[in-house]
């Protein structure tokens, strides 16, 4: 097994994809073949006729060979399949998921979008994702319910206020709308917040990021799946990968519970299981996996327009269009693959939420859940090639993977097509850990960890 320190920089071009250079099928941009469209007229026609909608994408037989196989049917894997087809004409692609699509991190996050990061590399990267998200409904011909809300990261002490100012400077240098605001302005934006001075952690200011917002996360997954499938990608659910065959330092194929597939290209786009999948190819990743819990309340009348985050209180909250309050916290304190909710989390969450917004004391929790977060040492992802030719990774997404889905899919598709990491993800290569060139984003993670 190759350890991270055994290589420092991938040689550009070494990971080029033979299959993509000499595809088994002619490379051409396929027109989208949607089984149905969901415009106003189609909705009306279907409503009146009472007919069944056709399935949004067909089940396909598992082929014995694909030009590329993507492991992980979440937003990252499906977006990669979509951009491979749309931007590079590579359509002989399978996306495999051991469960159903979106059943991992993509269906378990709190759907917050923002780009107010701390490093120039991070800000540029997440800003590209925000831009793609803004036009995604039109691009995919699917309503993903993007809702621009404004995003507030509260500072409860001098050191976090200093970090907010630092982030605001970096953000503005990159052209991102982001500034530090005072408690009076915070109160104007979120009247229900307790901004008084006599709380346990008084609010001293906030980083305000007007473009931030929320989106319907499962719609994003379905939209990418439908659009990728309409251009030829095969989506295989309940198809667990059990092995990756590597010979002479090159990927040869993969084994699944439903049969073997020959392929020269494998993209590991899993969250939670990324180290286990990478180990199948003999690649070690500097990642530890922790559960992250979240919860949703019963619906209440709309009162909270902005997304509010408090690192000190380990909590973030937004209100959906249906009126539910969606809450999250920091990751559980122990590495684990458990996806169970705990009473301890619900109690801690309630305490902190009521400190922030005392008026919520009577609102009832509806349900809670947990997802798996692959944490890297610097709180940035790991993207690009690996020491195994043809084996690519898009992993290490910690608590920030969903917002990066579109840009990651776009960048990984380019990486696979060109055989080298595009500029926008160069800083996130696996080799940075050996080279000591970390991209420290801990200060911009949503909540204290
Ligand atoms: O990074 O914005 C974020 C985030 C929100 C919830 C978890 N992470």
């Amino acid at each position: 097994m190759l350890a991270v320190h055994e290589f420092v920089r991938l040689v550009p071009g070494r990971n080029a994809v033979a299959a993509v250079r000499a595809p088994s099928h002619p490379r051409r941009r396929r027109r989208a073949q949607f089984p149905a469209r969901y415009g106003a007229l189609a909705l009306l026609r279907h409503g009146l006729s009472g007919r069944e909608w056709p399935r949004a994408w067909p089940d396909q037989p598992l082929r014995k060979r694909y030009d590329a196989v993507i492991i992980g049917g979440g937003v990252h894997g499906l977006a990669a399949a979509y951009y491979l087809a749309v931007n590079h004409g590579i359509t002989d692609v399978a996306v495999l998921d051991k469960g159903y699509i979106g059943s991992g991190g993509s269906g378990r996050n709190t759907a917050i979008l923002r780009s107010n990061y701390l490093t120039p590399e991070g800000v540029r990267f997440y800003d590209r994702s925000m831009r793609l998200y803004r036009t995604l409904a039109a691009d995919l011909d699917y309503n993903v319910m993007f809702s621009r809300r404004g995003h507030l990261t509260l500072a409860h002490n001098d050191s976090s206020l200093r970090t907010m100012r630092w982030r605001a400077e970096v953000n503005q240098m990159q052209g991102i709308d982001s500034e530090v605001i005072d408690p009076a302005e915070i109160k104007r934006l979120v009247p229900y917040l307790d901004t008084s001075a006599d709380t346990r952690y008084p609010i001293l200011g906030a980083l305000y990021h007007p473009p931030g917002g929320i989106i319907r996360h499962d719609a994003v997954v379905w939209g990418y799946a439908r659009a990728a499938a309409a251009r030829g990608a095969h989506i295989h659910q309940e198809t667990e990968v059990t092995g990756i065959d590597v010979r002479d330092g090159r990927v040869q194929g993969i084994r699944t519970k439903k049969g073997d597939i020959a392929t020269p290209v494998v993209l590991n786009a899993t969250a939670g299981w990324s180290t286990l999948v990478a180990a199948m190819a003999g690649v070690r990743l500097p990642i530890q996996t922790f559960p992250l819990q979240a919860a949703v309340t019963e619906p209440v009348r709309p009162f909270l327009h902005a997304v509010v985050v408090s690192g000190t209180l380990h909590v973030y909250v937004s209100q959906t269009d249906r009126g539910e309050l969606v809450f999250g916290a920091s990751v559980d304190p122990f590495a684990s693959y458990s996806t169970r909710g705990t009473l301890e989390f619900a109690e801690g969450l309630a305490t902190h939420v009521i400190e922030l917004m005392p008026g919520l004391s009577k609102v009832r929790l509806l349900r809670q859940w947990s997802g798996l977060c692959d944490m890297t040492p610097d709180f940035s992802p790991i993207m690009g090639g690996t020491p195994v030719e043809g084996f690519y990774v898009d992993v290490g997404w910690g608590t920030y993977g969903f917002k990066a889905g579109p840009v990651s899919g776009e960048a990984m598709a380019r990486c696979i097509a060109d055989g080298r990491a595009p500029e926008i993800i160069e800083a996130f290569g696996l080799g940075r850990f050996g080279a000591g060139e970390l991209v420290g984003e801990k200060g911009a993670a949503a909540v204290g960890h």
Side-chain angles (χ1 to χ4, degrees):
M1 185 170 288
L2 290 150
V4 167
H5 64 266
E6 287 175 66
F7 83 114
V8 170
R9 277 272 170 264
L10 289 167
V11 183
R14 181 175 175 268
N15 284 56
V17 180
V20 172
R21 285 187 173 150
S24 55
H25 305 283
R27 211 198 224 202
R28 60 172 179 266
R29 271 163 238 280
R30 193 176 289 189
R31 274 180 61 80
Q33 308 278 342
F34 290 116
R37 293 185 184 266
Y38 308 121
L41 222 61
L43 288 177
L44 188 67
R45 210 176 302 124
H46 270 271
L48 292 175
S49 73
R51 265 186 287 128
E52 288 281 312
W53 286 96
R55 295 192 53 163
W57 61 88
D59 279 335
Q60 303 280 4
L62 192 73
R63 283 206 202 122
K64 294 218 170 308
R65 189 192 180 287
Y66 287 96
D67 283 349
V69 172
I70 297 169
I71 308 175
V75 60
H76 285 246
L78 292 162
Y82 169 76
Y83 293 111
L84 274 169
V86 169
N87 292 350
H88 306 284
I90 299 169
T91 57
D92 186 31
V93 172
V95 182
L96 313 183
D97 200 285
K98 70 178 184 153
Y100 55 90
I101 64 163
S103 57
S106 291
R108 294 165 185 270
N109 64 86
T110 44
I112 295 172
L113 305 183
R114 64 183 175 98
S115 61
N116 56 355
Y117 278 74
L118 184 60
T119 65
E121 295 86 351
V123 174
R124 267 198 303 274
F125 177 75
Y126 289 99
D127 180 51
R128 174 69 189 152
S129 219
M130 290 288 282
R131 285 170 196 273
L132 290 167
Y133 264 129
R134 280 202 283 270
T135 60
L136 200 60
D139 295 343
L140 300 182
D141 189 26
Y142 201 86
N143 186 0
V144 291
M145 297 183 216
F146 174 65
S147 171
R148 182 182 155 130
R149 296 290 180 92
H151 181 285
L152 285 162
T153 316
L154 305 177
H156 299 267
N157 54 50
D158 288 340
S159 70
S160 41
L161 201 53
R162 199 169 54 238
T163 308
M164 299 313 160
R165 291 205 181 98
W166 174 7
R167 281 170 67 182
E169 291 286 326
V170 176
N171 292 176
Q172 288 165 19
M173 294 278 289
Q174 299 293 327
I176 304 302
D177 192 359
S178 179
E179 61 173 330
V180 173
I181 59 174
D182 63 17
E185 180 65 2
I186 297 170
K187 188 77 179 169
R188 196 186 63 75
L189 290 166
V190 189
Y192 285 82
L193 266 184
D194 185 353
T195 50
S196 60
D198 53 359
T199 57
R200 186 160 65 120
Y201 297 115
I203 296 170
L204 305 184
L207 182 66
Y208 179 44
H209 177 46
I214 54 174
I215 199 160
R216 179 76 190 269
H217 53 185
D218 40 14
V220 173
V221 169
W222 298 332
Y224 271 126
R226 171 176 172 271
R231 289 165 177 86
H234 285 188
I235 296 167
H236 298 291
Q237 307 186 83
E238 315 236 303
T239 307
E240 184 170 347
V241 173
T242 53
I244 299 176
D245 295 323
V246 176
R247 200 177 333 117
D248 301 329
R250 273 208 62 96
V251 164
Q252 307 293 321
I254 62 161
R255 277 167 276 136
T256 82
K257 285 194 169 164
K258 290 190 173 164
D260 298 347
I261 302 172
T263 182
V265 176
V266 173
L267 170 62
N268 176 1
T270 58
W273 318 106
S274 64
T275 51
L276 307 179
V277 171
M280 292 178 191
V283 174
R284 279 178 63 197
L285 299 172
I287 283 176
Q288 270 196 306
T289 302
F290 294 83
L292 175 65
Q293 300 193 44
V296 66
T297 67
E298 61 185 338
V300 292
R301 280 170 69 164
F303 72 96
L304 178 62
H305 190 65
V307 179
V308 178
V309 179
S310 166
T312 301
L313 291 170
H314 304 284
V315 71
Y316 36 88
V317 55
S318 65
Q319 188 170 23
T320 68
D321 294 330
R322 282 192 299 221
E324 300 147 335
L325 296 170
V326 180
F327 296 115
S330 47
V331 296
D332 285 0
F334 306 106
S336 149
Y337 290 104
S338 162
T339 52
R340 300 192 59 179
T342 62
L343 179 61
E344 194 187 3
F345 159 79
E347 284 177 347
L349 179 76
T351 312
H352 293 148
V353 166
I354 292 165
E355 277 188 273
L356 274 182
M357 294 190 209
L360 296 187
S361 62
K362 297 280 189 299
V363 178
R364 284 169 297 194
L365 272 195
L366 208 60
R367 59 182 183 276
Q368 66 185 101
W369 65 93
S370 166
L372 296 179
C373 297
D374 287 342
M375 307 303 298
T376 59
D378 59 358
F379 286 60
S380 285
I382 306 174
M383 304 180 75
T386 68
V388 174
E389 213 174 325
F391 183 63
Y392 295 83
V393 289
D394 172 20
V395 297
W397 284 109
T399 60
Y400 20 83
F402 190 78
K403 59 184 65 49
V407 66
S408 303
E410 183 186 57
M412 290 313 301
R414 173 157 292 286
C415 187
I416 288 169
D418 293 353
R420 71 168 57 140
E423 198 271 329
I424 196 158
I425 59 166
E426 255 175 9
F428 303 134
L430 179 56
R432 77 178 184 274
F433 298 101
E437 294 170 357
L438 304 194
V439 189
E441 281 291 2
K442 187 168 182 180
V447 284
H449 288 286

